[in-house]
Amino acid sequence: MYQFTEDCMTGIQEIDEEHSRLFQMLNEAMALVGTGADSGAIGKNLLQKLKEYAATHFVHEESYMEQIKDPELPRQKKEHAQFVEKVESCQIPEDDEKQSAQAVNELLTYMARWLYHHILGSDIMIGKMTKEEKTEDPFAFTDKFRTGIELVDQEHERLFEIIRETNDVIAAQLLYDKYDKIIHILNELKDYTIMHFQDEENYMERIGYEGLELQRYAHTAFVDRLNELNLDDMDDNQQEYLNELLQFLLNWLTNHILKMDKQIPVRDLE
């Protein structure tokens, strides 16, 4: 059963309610498949509901982001379009019950993974990328970010340091071979992030943490964002792109630590 937990909540009522409804749709379809009901009929009904969801929820979400001038709107539109394309391409065979059940299960699995990935990697940041006056150092790893898990806190602190180093290079006006230095630091950030997520997931697995699956979805979404980086494809707006990217990385990391990582229980594994 797929759960719409507090980790998945954006804090925007309409968006959260529509996400909750989609989780409900997934679970209803899974329950029907489990009873041995007509999988072909279930599949057709599910596809119709998904199309309705795509025609309402995505419009609502994009409209809200447009109103607040959220810089992540183009990315959201792209991800929404990919989802719609996938749904439109799904075919549920009606003359073979076994194939119908398999197709429905594959569709449900895709939907669940996409939804978790999209919410934890993109939707969770809606409204958090608007520029606000900050009174404290945004790159400082303060006590509010500490989980009490020594290794996790050490690695989080290093991630903050790497993001600060990236910001310093981006802001340096007269730095020689600035482009090469940015590439080097961003690669370091990606490699260190992947290592950190693995360490964090290993710890959660060892203590039997029930939130591990959602953490993995969130981690995968963030790494995917880092893997998409390609400065060679940027135009004359490179500086603006880098500033927005850095803001996203920092905001996502702080939000993830405060909302998800601080829920991880502290256990002595010695």
Side-chain angles (χ1 to χ4, degrees), residues 235-247:
D235 53 20
D236 295 335
N237 295 321
Q238 184 181 101
Q239 190 79 12
E240 181 181 356
Y241 172 87
L242 288 170
N243 287 331
E244 289 184 357
L245 168 66
L246 199 66
Q247 186 183 7

Side-chain angles (χ1 to χ4, degrees), residues 138-141 146 153-169 185 188-189 192 246 250 253:
F139 304 101
F141 182 77
R146 296 193 180 277
D153 288 338
Q154 289 174 352
E155 292 181 352
H156 283 164
E157 187 167 12
R158 178 55 188 150
L159 284 172
F160 273 77
E161 290 174 355
I162 297 174
I163 294 177
R164 181 192 291 276
E165 291 168 9
T166 308
N167 179 71
D168 290 345
V169 173
I185 296 176
E188 180 185 0
L189 174 63
Y192 195 87
L246 199 66
L250 182 63
L253 181 62

Side-chain angles (χ1 to χ4, degrees), residues 146-155 266:
R146 296 193 180 277
T147 65
I149 306 166
E150 185 176 0
L151 177 62
V152 171
D153 288 338
Q154 289 174 352
E155 292 181 352
V266 180

Side-chain angles (χ1 to χ4, degrees), residues 82-270:
Q82 290 172 341
F83 178 82
V84 171
E85 182 180 0
K86 173 67 176 181
V87 171
E88 293 287 354
S89 68
C90 286
Q91 299 292 328
I92 308 297
E94 300 184 41
D95 55 350
D96 188 311
E97 182 61 26
K98 184 176 181 180
Q99 290 184 1
S100 295
Q102 181 179 350
V104 170
N105 281 322
E106 288 176 355
L107 176 59
L108 291 172
T109 300
Y110 165 80
M111 279 194 56
R113 290 177 176 173
W114 185 92
L115 185 60
Y116 279 130
H117 185 283
H118 181 71
I119 292 176
L120 296 170
S122 297
D123 287 349
I124 206 70
M125 297 304 298
I126 295 175
K128 297 180 176 65
M129 292 290 290
T130 53
K131 296 181 180 179
E132 300 177 353
E133 291 293 330
K134 295 182 182 285
T135 58
E136 59 183 31
D137 181 359
F139 304 101
F141 182 77
T142 60
D143 287 343
K144 71 178 181 180
F145 297 116
R146 296 193 180 277
T147 65
I149 306 166
E150 185 176 0
L151 177 62
V152 171
D153 288 338
Q154 289 174 352
E155 292 181 352
H156 283 164
E157 187 167 12
R158 178 55 188 150
L159 284 172
F160 273 77
E161 290 174 355
I162 297 174
I163 294 177
R164 181 192 291 276
E165 291 168 9
T166 308
N167 179 71
D168 290 345
V169 173
I170 292 173
Q173 298 294 326
L174 303 177
L175 183 64
Y176 180 70
D177 69 357
K178 180 176 178 178
Y179 177 87
D180 291 340
K181 288 184 180 296
I182 291 173
I183 293 293
H184 174 77
I185 296 176
L186 287 176
N187 283 335
E188 180 185 0
L189 174 63
K190 181 171 72 172
D191 292 342
Y192 195 87
T193 298
I194 292 172
M195 180 204 72
H196 162 64
F197 286 163
Q198 187 61 59
D199 288 343
E200 201 170 69
E201 290 170 16
N202 287 342
Y203 171 83
M204 289 186 279
E205 189 169 17
R206 291 177 67 187
I207 67 171
Y209 180 49
E210 61 183 10
L212 173 57
E213 184 176 11
L214 281 182
Q215 282 273 5
R216 281 179 170 152
Y217 281 119
H219 293 167
T220 300
F222 188 71
V223 172
D224 285 348
R225 181 63 180 263
L226 292 174
N227 284 332
E228 291 174 5
L229 296 179
N230 186 356
L231 302 189
D232 291 332
D233 291 340
M234 286 190 298
D235 53 20
D236 295 335
N237 295 321
Q238 184 181 101
Q239 190 79 12
E240 181 181 356
Y241 172 87
L242 288 170
N243 287 331
E244 289 184 357
L245 168 66
L246 199 66
Q247 186 183 7
F248 174 87
L249 298 179
L250 182 63
N251 287 356
W252 188 95
L253 181 62
T254 57
N255 187 70
H256 180 72
I257 293 174
L258 294 174
K259 284 195 65 176
M260 297 189 73
D261 288 349
K262 293 201 73 169
Q263 297 182 39
I264 304 172
V266 180
R267 298 281 189 271
D268 185 0
L269 298 179
E270 295 297 331

